[in-house]
Structure formats: structure tokens, C-alpha cells
Amino acid sequence: MPRTSRARWLVPVVLLLVWLGIGGTLGPYAGKLGEVATNDQASFLPRSAESTRVVDAQKAFQPDETLPVIVVWTADGGGDVTAHRTEATRAVAGLKGEPGTVGAASPALPSEDGEALQAVVQVEPGLGERLPDVLAHIREAAERVPDTRAQLAGPAASQADLSDAFSGIDGLLLGVALITVLVILLLVYRSVLLPLVIILGAVFALGLACAIVYALADRGIVRVDGQVQGILSILVIGAATDYALLLTARFREELARHPDRFGAARAALRASWGAVVASAATVALGLLALLLSDLTNNRALGPVGAIGIVCAVASTLTFLPAVLVLLGRAAYWPAGPVRADDPEGGHRVWHRVAGLVDRAPRRIWALCLAGLLACAAFWPSLESKGVPLDEIFVNDAPSVAAQETLARHFPGGSGNPAVIIADADRAAPVLAAARDTRGVASAAAVTASGRPGGGAPKVVDGRVRIDATLEAPADSDAAKEAVARLRTSVHAVPGADALVGGYTAQQYDTQRTAEHDRTLIVPVVLAIILVILTGLLRSLLLPVLLVATVALNFLATLGVSALVFRHVFGFSGTDASVPLYGFVFLVALGVDYNIFLMSRVRQESLRHGVRQGILRGLTATGGVITSAGVVLAATFAALGVIPLAFLVQIAFIVAFGVLLDTLVVRSLLVPALARDIGAAAWWPSRLARRTPGITEG
């Protein structure tokens, strides 16, 4: 074999060996992110919110940070339970000094109706995997009270259920996503090797991304929780597969034109890398725009997601071409190379679609626009004020059932009081203002014992802490409104410098911060995408049209989601961050498919004229982009295996929105608009003027 021939084989072989090394050494990190992940929701509060300042101020009153567990007893079969108060108090008092618990538990207190008792046990906040065992020990002690039923509520119990929901996320989510993608690829390509190669490249990209994120999270540079962990896996698998589909489809075309596999690979890379990089840039920069958020979990997703996208691109543009060169035509066996302009080569459906767009463009875009606007009309009905506690978990969770029991017998805010920090010399008027606030059931200053009421207030650095129990459940809209009124009341006390925090205040601040984030980040993401499209397509009008269509697709998706969430899933609303996450994923990923389409249309238009360019571009990319959309929708739908409302909502919004964008916006609306506007859509590029010597037919 000539030396030049051997040298040509050296590059793909080296690239393959490098990626095999990456997969072998870094692949296990895809299952190790849980080691550096935290599901402590207190660490994901708005940075500058009043409730976050209260969290910091509370530490002075309780130097040893704790996590409360609320034990609630009810009589077997209902009825009076107060006769068991002494046994209940003794049961939790015996927990003092047990591993994982902190200090003495509060006495068991009866409800006004006498049908329930509650006591608070403090546990260490950083127990991690030990938390379920500690809670099991507390439950075992509480169940020793005769003739009663014991349940555990409060932040510690909720955190344990949250950790349980994310347990096994690495293997389960990755397995579901990969099997789904593999089945779709086998059906689409009817090839033996190619789906396995694409899956392998996606897994290598995920292993590299997880290793980088693990190293950064271990050093405290980025934060990872279960939600970010799950989204990273889905994002990398989906994006890597999408980019691979674009490149492999082009390589298949080029094999029909070039007898030499190296020439086909060079041509495929030359024609595809710009669209792949531009598409990845829209997603990565869109995710990085989340760094502008004041919510820590939003900022956490930004760099982690961007790292995943970069790794997906690196795998697509290095590992995949190397394997395709080494396999050649065998990659598509038993199928063979297909030219994009061959109507018998798998493009017959898209020839018909292109013909329909060519014959009646105005009618098509008008119908599509009307349908999308009709769906978008329901968008304002989507409530994004947070998810009630009883809807956080899709399946029944013990902490939710316990909280419901607690709410039936005690004031709605029991166990989750509003926390007021104020100057000690103004404690009396602040306490009076809190008690007089509508929606507050009771208020008392925390004493030296660490419990509210029953003595002189504990003073730390000239400040006192007052706990205000709300009448409404802590996660309800009524409770949030009560917190707003409470802040108005105590802020009005002269010289008190009062701050209001606690669980309900945190939910309220998170909701308001999410609303602010949307108004800030949405325009930034749209501007980023517009700049990238303008540079790629060398046009001003067409990028504006593309951004407008994907934005309309997003609003239509929210409209459909509002109906489905309420009438099918039974959700009363969404988490405050869901619309922003949906926007970033849908708009950035939706633009991906338009980039794939219009970059090919531009290439064809330069050779065949604008009209033929649209038809040829749609025919050539229709099948591969539709396959990519189905794959991405299926991978995001896999998030639904995690029984949390937040991820189920994200899964539906992105999966439905991607399919709507792929099948309607990219396949019909955008080509019909471009066909109807004609060459003017490419202004001010030279495509806006008829290319000399080429007829538009």
C-alpha cells in the first residue's frame, strides 16, 4: 500500500482509538454524577431575594444547621388521640442523641379538634444516603405509641422522597433513552451497524460531558442536582443523535456521488459542519443565557448543558467521520447510498410535500399559521405559580400524605412557619403587626430553648426571630398572598429592619424571580439566535421569519400544554421555571431544524436558483430532519420516567413542541413562506437577486 494511502487511514484510526480511550476511561462517570449532586432545595433559592437573606440570618439563631421532621399521630380509625400525648412525647424524646438527630425533640402538641398530635424532630442536614435510615428510625420510634398511626412530614421527609424519586436515575433514564433511540434508528435506517455507531458516539459524548461536569462539581465550580443530571443525559443523547443523523445522511448522499469514501467524507463534512456548529451554538449559548438568572438551579443548568452540547459536537465531527470512513458503504448495509434528487431513493414522500409547497405556498402557510395561532390562544391559561406539594410527585409520596394529614388537623402552615428576623428592641411592635396580618394564625418569638413562645425572646447580635404560622397550607396561593401582606405589615414598623422568609416566602420569591428571569432571558436568547442565523444564512429577513416561527411554535405548545396538564394530567399549574426551560429548549432546538433545512436550501439555491433550492432542500432534508425530531422528542419524553411533576411537564412540552416544529413549522410553514416570498427573503445576500443564467422555472 502506498505511503500516502496508509497516511490517509492513520487519521481515522487515531481518532477512533482516542474516542475508545475516552469511552473506556470516562464512560463510568455517566453513572457517578449522583455522587456530587445535591437535592437540597434550600440551596437553589434566588440569590438576592429577601427569603435568602433570612436563611443566612437564621444561622445565627441556630448555629448547628438542622432539617426538621414533623411527626404526626392520628388515632387508628379516627377519633380523639390526646390520651396518647405523654407516650408520643416520650417516644420522640428518646431519640435524643441517636445518630442523625440533633438536640431534643419538641413535646407532642394536640390539634384543636383533639384528633392529631404533632412533634418536631431535628436531623442533620447533610445526611445524604443516610437520611432514609434516620427517618426509618424516627418512624419506628413514633409507631411505638399504641393505637395510633404515625406519619412523617416536613422538609426532611420531602427531601427523602425527592432523593428516592431520583434514585437510579443514571441507569434507568439512560437505558430508556438509548433503547428508544436505537429502535427509532433501526426503523428509519433499516441498517445494522449505523444505529449502533450513532448510539456509541452519543454514549462517548455523554461520558466525556459527565466526566467534565463531575470534575467541576467536585471542586464547587458548578452545581448539579437530580433535575440537571437528568436533563444533561437527555440533552447529550438527543443532540448527539440529531447531529449524527445530519452528517450520516449527507455522507450517504456523497457516497452515491464519490466512489472514494475519503472524498465522500470530506464533502459531507464540508457541507454539514457549518449547520452542526451553528445549531450547537444556538443551544449552547441559549443555555448559557441562563447564567443571567437569579435562580441557582437555572444558573446550574446553563454551563452544564453547554458542556454537554460541546461534547456532542466534538463526537459528531471527529468520532463519527472516522468510523464512517473506516466502514464506508458497509455502515448502511443492507441499504446502499442514495442521491438526494433520486425520487425512488427514499425521498418520494418529501417530493410530494415539496410539490405541494410549490403549488400552493400561500394556502399552506395561512393554514399552518391559523392552526398555530389557535393553539397559542390557550397559552395565557397556563398557570406557572408553582406546583402544590400534593402535585410535586406524580406517584403517591409518604411525605405528601403526611402533610395532608397535618393540614386537616392543624393550621395550614403548621410545620412551615413564616420566619421573621427583626431588631430586638422593636420585637413587640413587629410581633403585634404579624399577629394582626390577615392570613396569620399565630406568631411568637423564638426563645432560648429554640422553640417559639414560653419565655423571653432569644437575642443574637441585637436581632430576634419570630415564627408566624399561616392559616393556609404553606404551598398555596393564599399562603403566598399572606406572606406578601406580612411583609408589608412588618416592613412598615419603624426601625425594625424586618425580613420575612421561610418556605412559603421562598416559593413566593422563586415565582417572582422566575417571572423576572423570563422577561430578561427570553429577549437575550432570541437575540443570540438571530445573530447566529444572520451570520449563517447571510440574510436579514429570513432569520427574523425563522425566529418568529419557532417563537410561535413555543406559544402554541404552551397553549396545548395548558389544556393537557389540566384536563389529562390533572396538574393545577407548572413550576415557575418550566416556561423558561421550555422556551430555551424549544426555541434553540427548534431553530436547529430550521438551520438544517435552510442551510441546505441556501446551498441548493446557489446552484439551482431560489425556487428549486427550496424544493431540493426540503426533499433532501425532510426525512433526516423528521427522524431527528422524532428521536429528540422520544429522548425528552424519557424524562417522564422520573415521577416528578417538573420533569414530566418539561418532557411533554419539549417532546410535543419538537414534533410540532418538525412536522408543521419546518416541513410546511417555513418552506411555504420562503417559497411565497421568493428571492426577497434572502435580502441582502446575492440570492435576493436572480443568479445569472439560472431560471426559476
Side-chain angles (χ1 to χ4, degrees), residues 316-362:
T316 301
L317 297 182
T318 55
F319 168 78
L320 189 59
V323 177
L324 290 177
V325 164
L326 294 175
L327 292 177
R329 285 170 164 76
Y332 301 92
W333 183 86
V338 178
R339 292 179 62 92
D341 53 0
D342 180 6
E344 300 302 319
H347 298 287
R348 283 173 289 185
V349 172
W350 292 100
H351 271 284
R352 296 193 189 100
V353 173
L356 182 62
V357 168
D358 189 39
R359 290 192 301 273
R362 191 163 301 176

Side-chain angles (χ1 to χ4, degrees), residues 490-517:
V490 300
H491 289 172
V493 177
D497 190 22
L499 301 172
V500 178
Y503 175 82
T504 305
Q506 292 166 6
Q507 299 300 304
Y508 177 75
D509 288 340
T510 298
Q511 176 187 325
R512 296 188 63 185
T513 303
E515 292 169 355
H516 172 266
D517 286 348

